[in-house]
Amino acid sequence: MTKKIILSFIITIIFSTISKAQINKNSELYKTILSKDSILFDAGFNTCDIKQYEDLLSENLKFYHVKDGVSDKTKFLYDLKNGLCKNPGTRQVKRILVKESTEIFPLYRNEILYGAIQNGEYLFYESKES
């Protein structure tokens, strides 16, 4: 019983520390992440402009999908071209970011920024033409 309480307390402290680590919405990192989000989704995903993905995604990409498992950049682009974007004229999916909900959490290793976690709400729309 005591171990569970201590573990629960430690987890609570960790998550409360993480939640306070959100950066200011006026910071350069926040603005950069929102800018890249816009390019990736508004210009890439929403219009099936695969070139945006090719340019923005790292060669070291690891994409984890609930149904399909892990994909590298090559497989991810192949699946996008032959899935959602196979025929954008007849089927289009759109993703809209709810900007007010966006939180950015910087990731540091040895006090050097190496990444960030973006958390927020997104709306997905799908339209199909007969």
Side-chain angles (χ1 to χ4, degrees):
M1 179 74 171
T2 305
K3 287 181 183 180
K4 287 183 184 179
I5 292 171
I6 292 172
L7 181 58
S8 176
F9 179 70
I10 291 171
I11 290 172
T12 302
I13 289 173
I14 290 170
F15 283 115
S16 66
T17 303
I18 289 172
S19 68
K20 291 179 183 173
Q22 174 187 324
I23 60 171
N24 185 298
K25 295 182 188 255
N26 294 319
S27 73
E28 284 304 309
L29 179 60
Y30 187 92
K31 291 175 186 177
T32 299
I33 298 283
L34 280 188
S35 171
K36 299 298 182 185
D37 180 282
S38 178
I39 293 169
L40 191 65
F41 286 98
D42 294 342
F45 186 83
N46 291 346
T47 62
C48 281
D49 182 352
I50 303 299
K51 179 83 171 108
Q52 295 298 329
Y53 281 95
E54 292 170 343
D55 293 344
L56 283 173
L57 298 179
S58 166
E59 295 302 320
N60 299 321
L61 173 77
K62 296 289 183 233
F63 180 75
Y64 298 88
H65 193 279
V66 177
K67 293 181 182 177
D68 298 331
V70 181
S71 297
D72 61 9
K73 182 177 180 178
T74 302
K75 182 175 180 337
F76 178 84
L77 291 172
Y78 176 85
D79 290 347
L80 191 61
K81 290 175 191 175
N82 295 291
L84 286 175
C85 294
K86 184 174 184 176
N87 192 351
T90 59
R91 180 176 186 272
Q92 184 60 51
V93 177
K94 296 217 182 286
R95 179 263 199 185
I96 308 296
L97 171 66
V98 178
K99 288 185 182 176
E100 310 80 52
S101 71
T102 301
E103 299 173 317
I104 306 295
F105 300 90
L107 301 173
Y108 293 94
R109 182 178 301 130
N110 298 325
E111 298 184 30
I112 298 172
L113 179 69
Y114 71 91
I117 296 172
Q118 177 183 5
N119 185 37
E121 296 176 24
Y122 314 91
L123 304 173
F124 285 89
Y125 299 92
E126 179 179 13
S127 62
K128 293 183 182 182
E129 293 184 21
S130 305

